[in-house]
Amino acid sequence: MRGGRGQERAITGNRQSSWAFADAYGAELVDDAENTALRWARERAQQAGVRAVSAATGATLRLLAATAGAKAVAEIGTGTGVSGIHLMAGMRPDGVLTTVDTDPELQQFARQAFRAAGFAGNRARFIPGSALDVLPRLADRGYDLVFCDGDRAECLEYFAEALRLLRPGGLVCFEGVFANGRTVDSAAQPAEVRRLRELLGAVRESTALVPSLLPVGDGLLCAVKREA
């Protein structure tokens, strides 16, 4: 037993270094224009007090978008454009990102960041408003990937909409499901964390999905919609 506990401590210590290495590796995968735009967008996010995905999470989103051959992506939570840059970099050159946020000012920052990263204006469609108001207006089975980085308290509603929006073989991804370690903490947690736990259970138990929980950033929950 002592050996087991010692090994667990060693693994835990190494994980911190491994995660930092993964972030640094992800940051090295972008070209100069994208790197400058991402740095600017991260600064705007910090000033606005909003979350931005880590470099490792961004690299994962880029990979997933490329793997899916994504032409149409829906993003819940534009922020200042950090995740959008990664998604568009992985999408097909003619792909369009539809991105939704309640804050039009943040979307203006994202628009500038996309332009600085070298993306044409027609590559992104910005829709201001509540995701729960906007998503029902989007086309059934019209999207290759749905990325959810909005209000955690609404994650189950996003999940239901994503299942409708995705084509068979499409991907849904939820950012921040670890909630800074609170999701696995046995102590009493706020409602948004309890909702994340419900989301994890719902995705795991869905027969319509092939899921995986990726330990990048603050946790990236991903699932592929099975072919009908």
Side-chain angles (χ1 to χ4, degrees):
M1 293 295 292
R2 290 182 180 177
R5 286 196 298 270
Q7 184 181 27
E8 183 178 343
R9 283 196 296 271
I11 291 172
T12 301
N14 288 337
R15 279 177 182 163
Q16 298 297 327
S17 298
S18 298
W19 288 336
F21 181 81
D23 253 1
Y25 185 83
E28 292 170 358
L29 298 176
V30 299
D31 62 28
D32 289 342
E34 285 181 15
N35 191 43
T36 299
L38 285 167
R39 199 162 49 240
W40 183 87
R42 288 187 185 283
E43 289 172 358
R44 302 291 83 72
Q46 185 174 20
Q47 292 168 1
V50 298
R51 300 190 308 267
V53 300
S54 71
T57 301
T60 303
L61 293 174
R62 184 181 300 234
L63 170 70
L64 293 173
T67 301
K71 184 176 180 179
V73 173
E75 177 184 47
I76 303 168
T78 309
T80 56
V82 175
S83 54
I85 289 174
H86 287 290
L87 287 166
M88 285 195 290
M91 294 169 66
R92 288 169 41 172
D94 59 344
V96 175
L97 173 71
T98 297
T99 183
V100 182
D101 202 290
T102 57
D103 191 332
E105 184 176 353
L106 292 180
Q107 289 191 319
Q108 286 302 317
F109 287 140
R111 195 185 300 273
Q112 294 177 56
F114 294 170
R115 188 182 307 117
F119 296 111
N122 63 359
R123 289 290 311 278
R125 177 171 63 142
F126 294 89
I127 305 179
S130 165
L132 298 186
D133 292 334
V134 173
L135 295 177
R137 305 202 302 264
L138 303 183
D140 292 5
R141 297 191 173 198
Y143 293 85
D144 306 299
L145 191 154
V146 177
F147 176 57
C148 305
D149 191 19
D151 186 344
R152 290 168 175 165
E154 298 177 346
C155 61
L156 287 171
E157 288 79 7
Y158 300 159
F159 175 50
E161 287 294 331
L163 288 179
R164 180 184 61 80
L165 293 173
L166 284 174
R167 64 164 175 82
L171 279 158
V172 60
C173 300
F174 290 86
E175 156 64 9
V177 295
F178 290 165
N180 295 317
R182 292 178 298 166
T183 303
V184 298
D185 192 333
S186 59
Q189 296 296 337
E192 68 171 30
V193 175
R194 297 196 298 272
R195 295 278 281 179
L196 287 172
R197 290 172 178 167
E198 293 177 39
L199 172 70
L200 286 162
V203 171
R204 183 185 61 236
E205 294 165 11
S206 173
T207 59
L209 300 171
V210 179
S212 182
L213 177 55
L214 307 182
V216 295
D218 196 24
L220 188 66
L221 176 63
C222 302
V224 176
K225 184 178 179 180
R226 292 183 185 273
E227 298 287 340

